[in-house]
Amino acid sequence: MIVQIGDSLTDARTLRVGEVVAVVGSKVTLANGPFQWEQEKYQCRPASTPERASLAPSTAVRIITGECS
């Protein structure tokens, strides 16, 4: 499998989803938020659409402005 920086992969061993931040030989470094980990390429698979969506920041945050009564 050809892996590039920015690809979204699922670590098949731990079932964690991450974005590729580095590729060195047969290892990739994946990141999800503040967490980073290394895994062999053969232990990863392309992330599905729902898995990729989990990497996006949540849009559920609502900012409340104004005065409180």
Side-chain angles (χ1 to χ4, degrees):
M1 168 171 60
I2 297 172
V3 177
Q4 297 178 350
I5 292 174
D7 288 351
S8 297
L9 300 178
T10 298
D11 181 339
R13 208 173 114 247
T14 63
L15 298 178
R16 292 188 294 176
V17 179
E19 184 175 312
V20 177
V21 294
V23 181
V24 179
S26 65
K27 289 193 174 195
V28 293
T29 301
L30 299 166
N32 187 336
F35 305 104
Q36 286 192 357
W37 69 100
E38 286 187 348
Q39 188 55 274
E40 295 287 337
K41 285 186 211 175
Y42 76 89
Q43 289 283 348
C44 298
R45 62 172 173 78
S48 67
T49 301
E51 289 169 333
R52 280 193 304 275
S54 73
L55 290 172
S58 175
T59 56
V61 176
R62 189 170 134 193
I63 299 173
I64 301 172
T65 60
E67 294 181 21
C68 295
S69 343

